[in-house]
Amino acid sequence: MPETGQAQHDDHQSISFDDLLKQAKTRISPEQNERLLKLENSVKRGDVKEQQLHLYHQLARFWYDSVRLFEPYAYYTGEAAKLENSEKSLTFAAHQFLDRMMDARDPALQNWLATNAKVLFEKALALNPANDSSRIGLGACYLFGNISENPMQGILPVREIAEKHPDNLFAQKILALGGKKSGQFDKAIERFKIIVQKDPGNLEALFNLAECYEEKGDNANAVKWYEQVRKLVVVPEAQKEIDKRITELKK
């Protein structure tokens, strides 16, 4: 996946794509800039929609393959999906934004990613209102995307899906992360355990489970789950970090 090229912003600063694009262009070579200009100016009269769709795909590939920057790649992928207006393309683009949003730490960047994901999920749901994955994704935008003064409004549709379909691990994950974010560690632990029971090798769930126990001061269970994480982690730096946490908790 391309890297994030976004600098940190304060909590109240918004980001526009024009700003992101301007910043991204400072990171490309003169040759790449020349190629980009040709692409950006390539739409001619005629079947403009089809040309625009082709252009967005080309621009997305340029930023993905040649520059390895996520934001312009995702933006143009999203714009192509809006023109194509198929559920498959819209949900693919929406999940690109959502996945990066879940890892973002800068509130302004979270907002930009969530806002784009929200639009795409809403368009996908207009085509298929019964798509649980899109409903969960939309809920996650409200919960974690810094787009609403009442982020917990995203919980209700996700909880409804989880109650109806307990085996929907995406819904369980979003609810578990929501519980962790709001300090409801017991509720989060309950849901992370559901995920681990169904998917024992789920590193993300195992790690969050350990962190929830650590946050609530249950060091014995935190160690137990960090040791499960340690068995599955293969990156040496990550192994050292887990070992360090386990040692600290055993003191």
Side-chain angles (χ1 to χ4, degrees), residues 72-92:
Y73 154 71
Y75 174 82
Y76 288 119
T77 299
E79 292 304 295
K82 291 174 194 174
L83 274 183
E84 191 174 325
N85 200 37
S86 72
E87 184 184 10
K88 181 179 178 180
S89 62
L90 288 164
T91 54
F92 173 81

Side-chain angles (χ1 to χ4, degrees), residues 38-213:
K38 287 180 180 177
L39 280 175
E40 290 176 337
N41 296 323
S42 65
V43 175
K44 305 285 193 299
R45 291 182 179 180
D47 192 353
V48 176
K49 180 181 175 182
E50 282 303 312
Q51 288 188 44
Q52 194 75 53
L53 180 60
H54 182 58
L55 173 62
Y56 285 148
H57 284 307
Q58 286 183 303
L59 287 167
R61 282 196 297 272
F62 170 83
W63 288 107
Y64 188 100
D65 295 332
S66 301
V67 189
R68 304 293 293 174
L69 277 182
F70 176 79
E71 289 88 356
Y73 154 71
Y75 174 82
Y76 288 119
T77 299
E79 292 304 295
K82 291 174 194 174
L83 274 183
E84 191 174 325
N85 200 37
S86 72
E87 184 184 10
K88 181 179 178 180
S89 62
L90 288 164
T91 54
F92 173 81
H95 280 281
Q96 295 283 303
F97 282 107
L98 180 67
D99 290 347
R100 187 57 64 101
M101 180 203 79
M102 297 297 287
D103 292 330
R105 292 294 174 262
D106 173 19
L109 181 58
Q110 284 178 332
N111 176 275
W112 184 79
L113 293 164
T115 300
N116 279 277
K118 174 178 175 289
V119 169
L120 292 160
F121 278 128
E122 287 173 341
K123 287 182 176 294
L125 285 166
L127 296 173
N128 180 10
N131 188 318
D132 283 348
S133 179
S134 291
R135 291 172 62 203
I136 296 165
L138 184 59
C141 291
Y142 282 100
L143 261 176
F144 307 107
N146 198 33
I147 61 173
S148 171
E149 291 183 1
N150 180 25
M152 299 310 285
Q153 73 186 87
I155 281 279
L156 296 177
V158 184
R159 185 179 290 152
E160 179 185 307
I161 292 167
E163 287 173 358
K164 190 174 180 180
H165 305 290
D167 288 346
N168 189 315
L169 300 190
F170 185 27
Q172 297 291 358
K173 169 187 165 180
I174 296 304
L175 291 172
L177 290 171
K180 183 184 177 188
K181 181 183 179 182
S182 62
Q184 299 179 75
F185 298 116
D186 287 331
K187 290 183 178 180
I189 285 167
E190 183 182 336
R191 293 193 184 278
F192 282 128
K193 282 186 173 179
I194 292 172
I195 298 171
V196 170
Q197 185 179 14
K198 300 287 183 184
D199 182 11
N202 191 314
L203 255 178
E204 182 184 12
L206 287 165
F207 186 79
N208 276 291
L209 192 50
E211 280 200 328
C212 284
Y213 276 116

Side-chain angles (χ1 to χ4, degrees), residues 180 185 196 202-234 238-250:
K180 183 184 177 188
F185 298 116
V196 170
N202 191 314
L203 255 178
E204 182 184 12
L206 287 165
F207 186 79
N208 276 291
L209 192 50
E211 280 200 328
C212 284
Y213 276 116
E214 183 178 358
E215 288 288 340
K216 66 177 288 196
D218 186 342
N219 289 4
N221 272 307
V223 167
K224 170 189 169 183
W225 291 105
Y226 278 130
E227 287 175 341
Q228 293 298 312
V229 173
R230 180 64 175 80
K231 292 175 184 176
L232 297 173
V233 167
V234 295
Q239 290 173 343
K240 288 178 184 177
E241 181 60 35
I242 298 299
D243 288 339
K244 182 180 175 182
R245 288 201 186 196
I246 290 171
T247 302
E248 288 294 321
L249 288 166
K250 284 183 174 179

